[in-house]
Each structure stands twice: as C-alpha cells, then as structure tokens.
Amino acid sequence: MVVALDGTVLTVAQPTLRRDLDASFTQVQWTSTGYLIAVAGLLVFAGRLGDRYGHRRTFALGMLGFGAASAGIALAPDVGWVIGLRVVQGVFGALLQPATLGMLRAAYPPERLRTPIAVRTASIGVAAAAGPVVGGALATEFGWRAVFLLNIVPALAFGLLALASRDRPHRTPTAAGVPLDLPGALLLAVALACLVHTLVTLPGVTWSAPVALLAGAAFVRHEHRTGSPLLPPEVVGSRAVGGALGILVIASAALNGSLLTCVYVLQDDLGLTPLRSALLSLPLAALLVAAAPASAVLLRRAGARVTVAGAMAVLATGLLVLARASAPVALGAGFALVGAGFGTVMVAATHVVVRQAPAESAGVAGGLQQTAMNVGPVLGVASATVLMDLGAVRSPLVVLAFVAATALPVCRALPGGSRPGPRAPAPGTGTPAGGSDATHTDHGVERGPHSRSLRDHEV
C-alpha cells in the first residue's frame, strides 16, 4: 500500500515539482521512469534474495531503504537529486515487493492463500483510489516535498516491525544452499530495464531496444547452460504460472492504457473538469476493492480458470462500454466493469502464481508477478499513446478491449475447479468426494513447510 500510494501521489504532484525546481518535462518524466527501470530490472533477483536469506529480512531492508530514500527526496536541492534518489527508491522498492508475497506463501497453508492475497489486492486498490486525493491535497497545502514525507513513518515502522518479528523456518536446504546466479541476474536486469526504457520512449526508437533483445537472448542461453538458474525450472516450466503471468501483463496493460485514454476522453473530448473526471472514475476503484474478497469466494467455488476467464470478459466489456459512452451513467458503468474485472483477475492470477510455485521459490514467483505488474502498465500506456497519435482519441479503448479478449484462450492453462463426483469415497480407497480436472491431477503438488499436499484442481 505504501508503494502504491507513493506512485499515485507523485503523479498528481509532478506539475508542482516542475515549477518549484524549474525542471523540464523530460526531467520530471524521469522521476517516474528512473524508478520504473530500477524496479523492473531487480524484482526477480530480489525475490531470489528473499528465498535465500529470508523474506522478512529482505522486506525490512527494502522498507527501511524506501523510507530513507523518501526522506532524501524530500530534502533534494534540485531535480537531478530527485531523479537519482528515485532510482535508489526503486532499488529498495524491488526488494520489498516480492517479499510481501513470499511472506504470505510461507505464513499460510496453500488452501488459505486466497484471502490474504485478496486483502493485499484490496489495499493496493485503496491506495490507488486515495492517492490522487491525498497527493493533490498535500501538494496544494504543503508543496510536493510533503508527498515523500508521507512515506517515512509507515516505511520505518513496518521495516522495524519486520526486523523485530521472528522469521518462520520456511527456507528449505535447497533454497538456502543454491548459489546466486549473478550473471543471470545481471542479464535479466539489463533486458528488463532496457525493455521498460524502450516502451516509455515510444514511438521513438532508441538504443535500448536492440540491447534488450541481445540481453534477453543471452539470458535465455545462460539459463539453459547454468547449473543454478535464476528462474527455477519448476517455476518457469509451469504452464499455469506462465499463463497467469501472461494474463497479468495483458490485464494491467489494458487497465493502465485505458485510464490514460479516458483522461483525454473525459477532459478533451467531453470537456469535463479534472475534478468531475476523477469523480466519474471512482466506481473503478470502488469495484476493484470490492472484487478482491469476492474473488476469493469465486476461486474456491469455480477454480482459477473459470474465474479469470469471466473476469477478463468483464474487463473487455467495460472497455467497450467506455469506448462508446458519453453520459455519466454509462461512463460510471464502464469504469465499474473495468474495476471489477481487473480486481478479480489480479487476485486470481496472483494466487495461481504464488500457489503453484514451490515454497523455496516463492520469492522468485513473487518477483515474476511484480515484474508482470510493472511491465504491463508501461506497455499499455505506450500502446495507448501511439494509438491516440495515429487516430481517434477513443481508439485505444477498442484495441485494448480486443487485447483483453485475446487472453481468454490463455485461461485454459490455469487450474480448473473440481468436477462433481460421488458423495462419499469408496470404502478403503481414501479417494475424496468429487473428481478433478484430469489434465491437472498429476502435477502442481505443493512442496512447502505444510505437510498437506494440494493439487491444482483444489486452487
């Protein structure tokens, strides 16, 4: 919630920062771009550090560093210091984000992960909804520096609390003994950082595009040759995890690209004020928060495959409604559908990623999930910007709705729900009532600190 709030409040405060520090638009853009590049490049490696040294320690270091960097930004004398310290803040943000999922994976048995992940998603939704209001109020009354002072107390408090609490004995000998793949981490960091840089500079072509391709190819080659890869085969080789990550990229791209588009639709096309535009979009945040607990129920009753497929269909429908809407009721309905669809997808797909990964690789899984949630928005915003430059202002909404719909076939890779079966097990067989999806019965078994072993169909 602290990290999500930091990003949203800064967006509102950027015009004030530019005037106060006499900065250019490009420099102000780099206060966000520098942070994104640092986070995207280090998330997976940070997750591996948590697997090896403990997620609470990694979380504590990330939180304390995040708070210290926030204090430094609040005291920065010029925009160059702000950009540099935002990169530092991104490094510590990368440390703490995968650790939150790693701690949940270690603290809860697999069958109880749905609700904690739903609470985590709801808190992000609350931060996203409150960020523009809080940022606008602080920047107006106290200046842009107050936006960063807001982070210090909670970051220090949570960091010290994590240090004071005892870590669960969740690391297995394999996780503790596997050497860190530093060459792989470096190659992946360069590939992801250059990919993000390429996306934020579209439609221009920069040096970062070929570097991203070369580094990505070198990373894949290295991972196939090394004996201790950064991405464990049991994680990246999982069809369910790969499908969930792809869906997270698509859904977050659709959401963020549509939000950028709607700003111009509401203010330029329909002539609404920024305040009225923000009020019309409130149903999105409200339904995103409300969808989180509902998603836990849907996951338990219908399984991940049906839940995510239905949610992506709702998300795509919401985008199509926004593409044609002009009346307040229709706009509110469109935003509500988008919020409900995205909130459900985020909980269900994240649950699959964390649930399917072995406990000793929970940090890597969390890093991959966070990477998807960072690359997706950048991809969506870049796509919407290019499309708006090429055609009508609403065209990105139609294209993004189509992109969201293309995720429906990917949902087949996700675990399904239980099939109806006999009311009671046959005597002496120990077979539970209810059959399972035969395509998922023989894999996806948990190997963590909890003795009970769940299969994919029980997601």
Side-chain angles (χ1 to χ4, degrees):
M1 190 170 188
V2 171
V3 174
L5 191 64
D6 176 80
T8 52
V9 297
L10 175 62
T11 301
V12 178
Q14 280 181 338
T16 307
L17 183 152
R18 184 177 65 85
R19 290 191 298 268
D20 188 30
L21 297 181
D22 193 25
S24 66
F25 283 105
T26 301
Q27 288 174 320
V28 172
Q29 182 187 16
W30 269 97
T31 62
S32 296
T33 301
Y35 176 89
L36 285 172
I37 290 175
V39 168
L42 295 174
L43 280 168
V44 176
F45 183 61
R48 175 51 85 193
L49 289 176
D51 290 331
R52 183 179 174 90
Y53 298 109
H55 297 299
R56 288 184 186 273
R57 293 178 182 176
T58 309
F59 174 82
L61 177 61
M63 264 296 181
L64 295 174
F66 195 87
S70 298
I73 295 171
L75 300 174
D78 56 52
V79 71
W81 276 95
V82 174
I83 294 171
L85 287 169
R86 281 285 286 170
V87 173
V88 174
Q89 193 181 43
V91 172
F92 288 108
L95 286 174
L96 69 92
Q97 291 181 67
T100 62
L101 289 171
M103 287 190 293
L104 290 181
R105 179 64 178 81
Y108 290 89
E111 67 272 17
R112 291 179 54 203
L113 271 173
R114 305 178 192 92
T115 300
I117 290 176
V119 172
R120 181 183 183 273
T121 301
S123 70
I124 295 173
V126 170
V133 178
V134 173
L138 289 175
T140 301
E141 295 296 327
F142 306 106
W144 65 270
R145 297 179 190 272
V147 167
F148 293 98
L149 292 173
L150 180 69
N151 298 329
I152 297 175
V153 173
L156 294 179
F158 289 128
L160 293 174
L161 184 63
L163 284 179
S165 59
R166 296 181 63 183
D167 208 351
R168 278 176 170 261
H170 65 277
R171 286 180 294 146
T172 67
T174 301
V178 172
L180 293 175
D181 181 15
L182 294 179
L186 177 61
L187 288 171
L188 182 61
V190 171
L192 290 173
C194 289
L195 172 63
V196 171
H197 182 270
T198 300
L199 293 174
V200 299
T201 55
L202 287 176
V205 179
T206 65
W207 55 268
S208 56
V211 174
L213 290 174
L214 291 174
F219 172 74
V220 172
R221 184 173 183 269
H222 170 80
E223 289 293 283
H224 279 99
R225 289 171 173 260
T226 184
S228 55
L230 177 66
L231 301 180
E234 62 268 23
V235 176
V236 295
S238 168
R239 185 167 173 257
V241 171
L245 290 172
I247 288 168
L248 284 172
V249 171
I250 293 172
S252 58
L255 174 73
N256 288 269
S258 65
L259 288 178
L260 175 68
T261 304
C262 286
V263 169
Y264 290 94
V265 169
L266 295 175
Q267 297 185 29
D268 293 349
D269 193 24
L270 300 180
L272 302 180
T273 64
L275 176 59
R276 192 175 179 191
S277 300
L279 292 175
L280 281 176
S281 66
L282 280 179
L284 188 152
L287 267 293
L288 194 155
V289 174
S295 303
V297 178
L298 289 172
L299 275 172
R300 184 172 63 251
R301 294 183 177 180
R305 186 186 306 154
V306 173
T307 299
V308 175
M312 289 301 293
V314 170
L315 174 59
T317 302
L319 294 176
L320 290 176
V321 171
L322 289 174
R324 299 182 60 86
S326 57
V329 174
L331 289 167
F335 280 121
L337 289 171
V338 171
F342 180 77
T344 304
V345 169
M346 187 173 176
V347 172
T350 299
H351 180 264
V352 171
V353 174
V354 178
R355 163 70 177 77
Q356 295 295 310
E360 61 269 22
S361 299
V364 171
L368 288 170
Q369 188 271 352
Q370 291 295 136
T371 300
M373 295 301 297
N374 278 271
V375 172
V378 178
L379 179 61
V381 169
S383 301
T385 302
V386 172
L387 289 169
M388 282 191 291
D389 287 339
L390 293 177
V393 69
R394 294 182 185 241
S395 61
L397 295 172
V398 178
V399 174
L400 291 170
F402 174 77
V403 171
T406 62
L408 294 177
V410 183
C411 295
R412 294 178 60 84
L414 304 183
S418 298
R419 289 179 177 175
R423 292 179 179 271
T429 63
T431 304
S436 65
D437 190 335
T439 60
H440 297 283
T441 299
D442 297 327
H443 55 274
V445 178
E446 292 296 335
R447 299 176 182 85
H450 307 283
S451 59
R452 182 170 184 262
S453 204
L454 296 182
R455 299 183 187 276
D456 283 1
H457 71 273
E458 297 179 87
V459 173

